[in-house]
Amino acid sequence: MKAAPPGPGVAVVPRGARTGDGTLMVGTCGYSYLEWIDGGFYPQGSRSADMLGLYGRCFSVVELNYTWYQMARADALARMVKTAPEHLRFAAKLTRSITHEREENWREQVRLYRRGVAPLRQRLLAVLLQFPPDFGRSLDNRRFLAELLDELQGLPVAVEFRHVSWAVDPVFAELERRGVTLVTVDTPALPELFPMLDVVTNPRLFYVRFHGRNLSGWRSGTMQKKFDYDYRESELRQWCETRLSSLFRGGERGLLFFNNHVRAQAPRNGARLLDILATTGGREAHEPGTLCSAS
């Protein structure tokens, strides 16, 4: 008899006789999208205030991306945690005033952020540091990243690079020494972008972001075009059979987030990936072949 799955959107994946099972948590980058009502994920008439609870019927982890647009505030996150489904876990993006629009007082910004995300406590699985495409591996940027990781010590940090210059072994070795997760990205195949790799720098956690492969949309300057992509069955199946297997050889738990939010493609693709895992040996929470809909 198969063991009961641990929660919706969570798959238990065999890693091998010597390493035991691995856990994969699938979710989306953000959850509060009104267009997901017309996209069929949320029921007609859903209010923004209802969406986190509805989301939790299908997934057990969500990436909070509004903390990139505005500084995390403890009172707001405490209210959110109070109403969130008990099984739901979180990743929280670091504020843009630190990663993209760095100010002289960025250390104070980090202290504000740490206080802001404190209500998440044991439900916080990762803090995502996503750097912009023009953040190359210069001496100044290397020094800043080292200082920033020092300031964030004690938090479960994951780093996403967009510039290809960071894809070198010394970077991977330093992240591994610090116990920091390197984010694996699925993006359009553009030479200046950080490539799709299956390098695991933290054996406790790997982290994947599916941005979509919309080549023309990526450079359009609009979010709706950039993240408008619907992964094909063959592309998701290839991920499960190749990339995921490789990532699980290095890490015991993975977070997979879909960022292609346009027209609710993100939750639909996440549910489809879980279906594929269920047919290839994984144990997951919803019936394979059914759309993970909150309605």
Side-chain angles (χ1 to χ4, degrees), residues 4 15 20 32 41 63 66 80 102-103 107 149 164 185 192 226-227 244 261 264 275 281:
R15 301 172 63 214
S32 183
F41 182 67
E63 184 185 275
Y66 83 87
M80 184 197 73
R102 193 189 328 162
E103 300 172 357
R107 285 187 170 82
L149 293 177
V164 65
V185 289
E192 69 272 21
K226 186 175 184 178
F227 299 116
L244 275 184
H261 60 84
D275 288 347

Short mmCIF file of all heavy atoms in Angstrom, two decimals, residues 4 15 20 32 41 63 66 80 102-103 107 149 164 185 192 226-227 244 261 264 275 281:
data_model
loop_
_atom_site.label_atom_id
_atom_site.label_comp_id
_atom_site.label_asym_id
_atom_site.label_seq_id
_atom_site.Cartn_x
_atom_site.Cartn_y
_atom_site.Cartn_z
N ALA A 4 0.26 7.64 2.48
CA ALA A 4 -0.58 8.80 2.16
C ALA A 4 0.29 9.98 1.78
O ALA A 4 1.33 10.21 2.39
CB ALA A 4 -1.45 9.16 3.36
N ARG A 15 14.18 8.21 -4.71
CA ARG A 15 15.51 8.69 -5.12
C ARG A 15 16.50 7.56 -5.27
O ARG A 15 17.57 7.73 -5.82
CB ARG A 15 16.04 9.70 -4.10
CG ARG A 15 15.18 10.91 -3.89
CD ARG A 15 15.69 11.74 -2.72
NE ARG A 15 17.03 12.26 -2.96
CZ ARG A 15 17.94 12.42 -2.01
NH1 ARG A 15 17.69 12.06 -0.77
NH2 ARG A 15 19.13 12.92 -2.29
N GLY A 20 16.79 6.97 -0.11
CA GLY A 20 15.40 7.12 0.33
C GLY A 20 14.61 8.05 -0.57
O GLY A 20 15.07 8.47 -1.63
N SER A 32 -2.44 35.77 -6.15
CA SER A 32 -3.56 36.72 -6.21
C SER A 32 -3.65 37.34 -7.60
O SER A 32 -3.11 38.44 -7.84
CB SER A 32 -3.38 37.80 -5.13
OG SER A 32 -4.49 38.68 -5.14
N PHE A 41 -9.14 28.82 -12.76
CA PHE A 41 -8.54 28.27 -11.54
C PHE A 41 -9.34 28.64 -10.30
O PHE A 41 -9.59 27.80 -9.44
CB PHE A 41 -7.09 28.76 -11.39
CG PHE A 41 -6.40 28.18 -10.18
CD1 PHE A 41 -6.11 26.83 -10.09
CD2 PHE A 41 -6.04 28.99 -9.11
CE1 PHE A 41 -5.49 26.28 -8.98
CE2 PHE A 41 -5.42 28.46 -7.98
CZ PHE A 41 -5.14 27.11 -7.92
N GLU A 63 5.03 31.06 -3.58
CA GLU A 63 6.10 32.05 -3.54
C GLU A 63 5.45 33.43 -3.44
O GLU A 63 4.69 33.83 -4.32
CB GLU A 63 6.95 31.95 -4.81
CG GLU A 63 8.15 32.88 -4.83
CD GLU A 63 8.88 32.80 -6.17
OE1 GLU A 63 9.72 31.89 -6.34
OE2 GLU A 63 8.57 33.63 -7.05
N TYR A 66 4.85 39.65 -3.81
CA TYR A 66 4.56 41.05 -3.51
C TYR A 66 5.61 41.64 -2.57
O TYR A 66 5.78 42.87 -2.50
CB TYR A 66 3.16 41.20 -2.92
CG TYR A 66 3.03 40.95 -1.44
CD1 TYR A 66 3.24 41.97 -0.51
CD2 TYR A 66 2.69 39.70 -0.95
CE1 TYR A 66 3.11 41.75 0.85
CE2 TYR A 66 2.57 39.46 0.40
CZ TYR A 66 2.78 40.49 1.31
OH TYR A 66 2.66 40.27 2.66
N MET A 80 -1.96 37.46 7.33
CA MET A 80 -2.05 36.47 6.27
C MET A 80 -1.86 35.05 6.82
O MET A 80 -2.61 34.12 6.49
CB MET A 80 -0.98 36.75 5.21
CG MET A 80 -1.06 35.82 4.00
SD MET A 80 0.46 35.84 3.02
CE MET A 80 1.53 34.93 4.13
N ARG A 102 19.29 49.21 -5.38
CA ARG A 102 20.04 49.25 -4.13
C ARG A 102 20.28 50.68 -3.64
O ARG A 102 20.72 51.54 -4.40
CB ARG A 102 21.38 48.56 -4.32
CG ARG A 102 22.11 48.25 -3.02
CD ARG A 102 23.53 47.77 -3.28
NE ARG A 102 23.66 47.02 -4.52
CZ ARG A 102 24.83 46.80 -5.12
NH1 ARG A 102 25.94 47.27 -4.58
NH2 ARG A 102 24.89 46.11 -6.25
N GLU A 103 19.95 50.87 -2.40
CA GLU A 103 20.15 52.17 -1.79
C GLU A 103 21.31 52.11 -0.81
O GLU A 103 21.75 51.02 -0.42
CB GLU A 103 18.85 52.61 -1.08
CG GLU A 103 17.66 52.70 -2.04
CD GLU A 103 16.35 52.93 -1.30
OE1 GLU A 103 16.36 52.95 -0.05
OE2 GLU A 103 15.32 53.08 -1.98
N ARG A 107 21.58 47.87 4.17
CA ARG A 107 21.65 47.00 5.37
C ARG A 107 20.45 47.25 6.28
O ARG A 107 19.92 46.32 6.88
CB ARG A 107 22.96 47.25 6.12
CG ARG A 107 24.19 46.62 5.45
CD ARG A 107 25.42 46.76 6.33
NE ARG A 107 26.53 45.98 5.83
CZ ARG A 107 27.35 46.38 4.87
NH1 ARG A 107 27.17 47.57 4.31
NH2 ARG A 107 28.33 45.61 4.44
N LEU A 149 24.71 38.13 1.76
CA LEU A 149 24.51 36.80 2.34
C LEU A 149 24.90 36.78 3.81
O LEU A 149 24.27 36.07 4.62
CB LEU A 149 25.31 35.76 1.54
CG LEU A 149 24.83 35.53 0.10
CD1 LEU A 149 25.74 34.54 -0.62
CD2 LEU A 149 23.39 35.02 0.08
N VAL A 164 24.61 35.50 -17.29
CA VAL A 164 25.34 34.26 -17.55
C VAL A 164 26.71 34.21 -16.85
O VAL A 164 27.23 33.12 -16.59
CB VAL A 164 25.52 34.07 -19.07
CG1 VAL A 164 26.40 35.17 -19.64
CG2 VAL A 164 26.05 32.68 -19.41
N VAL A 185 16.75 27.71 -13.29
CA VAL A 185 15.77 28.49 -14.04
C VAL A 185 15.43 27.80 -15.35
O VAL A 185 16.28 27.21 -16.01
CB VAL A 185 16.29 29.91 -14.34
CG1 VAL A 185 16.33 30.74 -13.07
CG2 VAL A 185 17.66 29.88 -15.00
N GLU A 192 22.69 35.61 -23.22
CA GLU A 192 23.07 36.46 -22.10
C GLU A 192 22.43 36.03 -20.78
O GLU A 192 22.81 36.51 -19.71
CB GLU A 192 22.69 37.92 -22.38
CG GLU A 192 21.20 38.21 -22.41
CD GLU A 192 20.58 38.00 -23.79
OE1 GLU A 192 21.18 37.28 -24.60
OE2 GLU A 192 19.49 38.57 -24.03
N LYS A 226 5.94 38.54 -21.45
CA LYS A 226 7.15 37.84 -20.99
C LYS A 226 6.82 36.48 -20.38
O LYS A 226 7.51 35.49 -20.61
CB LYS A 226 7.87 38.72 -19.95
CG LYS A 226 9.22 38.19 -19.50
CD LYS A 226 9.88 39.22 -18.58
CE LYS A 226 11.28 38.78 -18.16
NZ LYS A 226 11.94 39.80 -17.32
N PHE A 227 5.74 36.44 -19.61
CA PHE A 227 5.41 35.20 -18.89
C PHE A 227 4.18 34.51 -19.48
O PHE A 227 3.50 33.75 -18.78
CB PHE A 227 5.22 35.50 -17.41
CG PHE A 227 6.46 36.06 -16.76
CD1 PHE A 227 6.47 37.34 -16.24
CD2 PHE A 227 7.62 35.30 -16.69
CE1 PHE A 227 7.62 37.87 -15.67
CE2 PHE A 227 8.78 35.82 -16.12
CZ PHE A 227 8.79 37.11 -15.61
N LEU A 244 14.76 16.65 -13.14
CA LEU A 244 14.38 16.35 -11.75
C LEU A 244 15.18 15.18 -11.20
O LEU A 244 15.59 15.20 -10.03
CB LEU A 244 12.89 16.05 -11.67
CG LEU A 244 11.98 17.27 -11.53
CD1 LEU A 244 10.53 16.84 -11.38
CD2 LEU A 244 12.40 18.12 -10.35
N HIS A 261 2.21 33.08 -15.26
CA HIS A 261 0.91 33.29 -14.62
C HIS A 261 -0.21 33.64 -15.58
O HIS A 261 -1.39 33.53 -15.22
CB HIS A 261 1.04 34.42 -13.58
CG HIS A 261 1.46 35.73 -14.18
ND1 HIS A 261 0.57 36.60 -14.75
CD2 HIS A 261 2.68 36.31 -14.31
CE1 HIS A 261 1.22 37.67 -15.19
NE2 HIS A 261 2.51 37.51 -14.94
N ALA A 264 -3.75 31.82 -16.08
CA ALA A 264 -3.72 30.68 -15.15
C ALA A 264 -2.94 29.49 -15.72
O ALA A 264 -3.19 28.34 -15.34
CB ALA A 264 -5.13 30.24 -14.75
N ASP A 275 0.70 15.38 -12.24
CA ASP A 275 0.09 14.22 -12.90
C ASP A 275 1.16 13.32 -13.51
O ASP A 275 1.11 12.09 -13.40
CB ASP A 275 -0.87 14.67 -14.01
CG ASP A 275 -2.15 15.28 -13.46
OD1 ASP A 275 -2.40 15.12 -12.24
OD2 ASP A 275 -2.88 15.90 -14.24
N GLY A 281 5.98 6.98 -10.98
CA GLY A 281 6.52 6.44 -9.73
C GLY A 281 6.36 7.33 -8.53
O GLY A 281 6.61 6.91 -7.40
#
